[in-house]
Amino acid sequence: MPVVKNIISTKQRIGRFITGSPEMIRRTEEIYRAVLGFYLDVIHDNLDKLPGWDRNSGTRALERLTVRTEPRMNRKTGKPFGGNPNPPYPIDAVWPKFPAYLRRVIIAKAIGMAKSWHSNYQRWLRKKERIQNRNESRVAEGKKPIPFDEHPPKYPAAGNVGITFYKGDFKNLSLKANTIQLKVWDGSDWRFITVEVEPTRHSRKLHLDDSWEMTVPTVYEREGIFHLVTAFEKKSNVMKFTDYYRSKRPKVLAVDLNLGRKNRAVCALVGKDGTVHKVRHIGLTACNTTDVHHLLGLIARNVSGLGIVPKGHRPCKKLWRKVHAANDNYAHHVSKRLVDLAMEWDARVIVFENLKHFRPDRNKHGSARMRQRIGYWLHRRVMKYTTYKAKARGILVALISPKDTSARCSLCGSLETSRAGNILACRNCGTVHNSHVNAAINIGMAWFIREEKRLQQKSA
Ligand SMILES: [Zn+2]
């Protein structure tokens, strides 16, 4: 069976400060945003046509709506023909002689922004309808309706958009040089200027090898300072879930993440028939977790002395920042080890439990609640970092429902189990499991069960 390849691109961004010529860049940014806003408005007036547009047809349609071109003369009859003398939204009434290449760049950007909003909006509509339908049947059964208070996605605005410089608008982009030439508006004309750039602390740390391809730069403004952000792209072949499931001997790396007081991840390499090939406990001693707990203790002590904290006031900002930096570093460390292990074991899918609907326990207060919130935050961070690190190496990350993963016996599937600490005893088949290993195996099996269901639905 041929395997369909799925090209996935991973991005890394390198930001540098722009230290010279901010006035011209600011002026260019103003015009860029104004024209982008103009086109977003035109698209908004013609929303019914948006779904049928791609980048090319959309550009043609929008130029027809905004760009004035004089008709030509028929030499034989002397009558004018063609042209677009009266567009409904003439751009030259607002910006005479706006360069055509930049207009096309901005139109493409506006279409991209509007399209992305449109698909989010459609998703929101479908969700609303789904919940309304479910509520109708719930009310009929005498149950309370589920409230739907999600706001619809907002139509995009040009307010905070960075200027993307496409081919022809920039010259001599290199990470080694400390200058770049950008085409900007000098007040009366478009011309190239040389801009000085300076690496940031973060950009100095990143090392990208030759497998990363440099793409176009974007200029962003943050708190009055301009940053030149260069994106790097790496394309890798990743199989689709269904193709991997149907391949010869699929194996997944299932992860049971325990990020609490004792941080550890239990990994199991699970095969399609439920065979557990390997198990590994990753103790995370390399990161100083006690440090975080020490910091949390300091915060708790400080906050308890404050009495009632006024709304909007966040105490211990510096300490919190330290906690987050330590946790972030930690998430990078864990995710790297997980991806390395998947490579070592030749598993093309890493499976986690999805914690999306998790809410902190309302009965917990003080430091216990704080730990729980941080554990949750850390968990999401680890999944996020693992996803992008795995992608770059051709591995996919799957999330499965956490239902019964820690209560079910992975050997016989019974839910008649009792747990004490790290031990899970099955009353049905009599097996005594390590509860974390058992959970990891269930997580891996859940992925195979889900893919099997999907396959059957497809063929049905
Ligand atoms: Zn059992």
Side-chain angles (χ1 to χ4, degrees):
M1 183 183 33
V3 172
V4 181
K5 288 278 167 74
N6 192 19
I7 305 282
I8 283 187
S9 78
T10 325
K11 270 193 181 159
Q12 278 277 18
R13 292 190 169 83
I14 287 195
R16 287 179 289 175
F17 298 118
I18 290 180
T19 48
S21 329
E23 313 79 36
M24 281 187 210
I25 292 172
R26 180 159 289 126
R27 247 183 246 140
T28 310
E29 183 189 61
E30 269 167 27
I31 295 183
Y32 191 91
R33 286 182 182 166
V35 177
L36 183 62
F38 168 82
Y39 275 105
L40 283 170
D41 287 346
V42 175
I43 296 175
H44 195 259
D45 281 357
N46 296 277
L47 272 184
D48 51 322
K49 295 173 197 135
L50 180 66
W53 284 347
D54 60 18
R55 194 177 158 152
N56 290 327
S57 62
T59 305
R60 275 199 303 278
L62 283 170
E63 291 199 320
R64 187 94 198 143
L65 287 168
T66 56
V67 181
R68 195 192 307 273
T69 47
E70 293 308 321
R72 279 178 287 172
M73 282 293 170
N74 187 320
R75 277 191 201 152
K76 281 180 193 162
T77 60
K79 280 179 188 164
F81 75 99
N84 189 25
N86 293 308
Y89 310 87
I91 188 174
D92 59 359
V94 203
W95 292 278
K97 291 189 180 164
F98 195 75
Y101 77 91
L102 191 63
R103 185 183 66 222
R104 280 188 203 122
V105 163
I106 293 175
I107 288 177
K109 183 132 188 164
I111 293 174
M113 286 167 79
K115 280 230 150 196
S116 143
W117 164 82
H118 186 256
S119 58
N120 284 335
Y121 184 68
Q122 294 300 320
R123 201 173 301 136
W124 178 84
L125 281 179
R126 282 197 299 273
K127 190 171 180 187
K128 193 179 163 193
E129 198 190 315
R130 207 164 57 231
I131 289 184
Q132 270 170 356
N133 288 343
R134 200 187 299 163
N135 280 346
E136 272 170 31
S137 52
R138 278 179 76 93
V139 170
E141 286 166 28
K143 287 183 196 160
K144 258 198 206 164
I146 307 159
F148 181 68
D149 47 12
E150 211 173 287
H151 294 291
K154 249 180 153 176
Y155 188 74
N160 290 315
V161 177
I163 324 168
T164 306
F165 290 84
Y166 287 93
K167 211 178 159 189
D169 304 342
F170 67 90
K171 279 190 230 167
N172 305 330
L173 173 64
S174 141
L175 284 184
K176 290 191 182 98
N178 50 7
T179 58
I180 178 179
Q181 272 120 313
L182 298 173
K183 203 172 192 179
V184 297
W185 176 251
D186 70 357
S188 55
D189 206 357
W190 293 88
R191 66 179 172 95
F192 275 104
I193 58 163
T194 303
V195 173
E196 280 166 38
V197 289
E198 194 178 276
T200 60
R201 227 167 71 198
H202 179 68
S203 77
R204 271 198 209 103
K205 273 195 258 168
L206 278 173
H207 296 288
L208 302 170
D209 57 35
D210 293 341
S211 61
W212 293 85
E213 204 178 297
M214 186 151 39
T215 64
V216 293
T218 303
V219 171
Y220 289 100
E221 187 186 347
R222 206 173 302 142
E223 289 161 5
I225 298 166
F226 286 98
H227 297 251
L228 180 83
V229 177
T230 315
F232 284 80
E233 207 171 11
K234 185 176 186 166
K235 290 191 170 129
S236 38
N237 273 327
V238 177
M239 269 193 226
K240 286 181 180 167
F241 282 151
T242 42
D243 292 324
Y244 188 58
Y245 179 71
R246 282 185 290 184
S247 69
K248 213 172 176 189
R249 257 189 292 276
K251 286 173 290 185
V252 299
L253 175 77
V255 187
D256 178 52
L257 268 185
N258 300 285
L259 304 169
R261 199 168 248 295
K262 276 184 195 156
N263 289 308
R264 85 167 66 94
V266 178
C267 304
L269 184 68
V270 183
K272 195 173 185 172
D273 52 358
T275 330
V276 182
H277 298 283
K278 275 168 185 167
V279 170
R280 191 171 297 175
H281 294 251
I282 299 187
L284 301 159
T285 44
C287 299
N288 199 352
T289 53
T290 50
D291 202 40
V292 170
H293 292 297
H294 173 69
L295 289 168
L296 287 178
L298 284 181
I299 292 174
R301 214 177 309 150
N302 282 352
V303 173
S304 72
L306 284 175
I308 295 166
V309 180
K311 215 178 178 181
H313 178 76
R314 295 192 57 202
C316 310
K317 260 190 186 166
K318 266 194 180 164
L319 282 171
W320 272 118
R321 209 174 294 155
K322 272 189 187 171
V323 169
H324 282 301
N327 275 334
D328 199 55
N329 181 26
Y330 180 74
H332 273 298
H333 187 87
V334 179
S335 54
K336 183 172 185 302
R337 288 188 63 177
L338 291 177
V339 177
D340 284 346
L341 190 62
M343 292 295 282
E344 187 191 320
W345 284 355
D346 194 29
R348 300 291 295 270
V349 174
I350 299 176
V351 193
F352 287 108
E353 281 179 312
N354 192 358
L355 289 181
K356 210 174 160 190
H357 300 296
F358 174 91
R359 288 275 178 282
D361 190 344
R362 276 176 188 278
N363 298 319
K364 282 188 178 164
H365 296 282
S367 66
R369 193 185 164 105
M370 206 143 72
R371 260 208 307 282
Q372 200 178 30
R373 270 174 52 192
I374 284 181
Y376 180 54
W377 182 87
L378 198 53
H379 205 124
R380 278 185 312 179
R381 257 310 134 101
V382 170
M383 293 200 287
K384 188 176 159 192
Y385 291 164
T386 309
T387 307
Y388 91 79
K389 283 176 191 173
K391 257 189 191 175
R393 294 166 85 171
I395 298 169
L396 285 172
V397 170
L399 302 178
I400 56 100
S401 154
K403 192 166 184 283
D404 298 333
T405 45
S406 47
R408 190 182 295 277
C409 167
S410 61
L411 204 67
C412 69
S414 167
L415 280 170
E416 307 243 315
T417 53
S418 43
R419 185 176 166 175
N422 285 344
I423 290 168
L424 186 90
C426 175
R427 288 200 291 276
N428 186 42
C429 69
T431 321
V432 178
H433 300 275
N434 173 308
S435 61
H436 298 301
V437 175
N438 183 66
I441 297 168
N442 280 331
I443 291 167
M445 300 272 281
W447 184 81
F448 285 108
I449 293 167
R450 189 180 76 186
E451 288 307 312
E452 180 60 39
K453 261 189 203 161
R454 281 191 183 163
L455 198 66
Q456 280 171 6
Q457 274 170 6
K458 253 187 201 170
S459 54

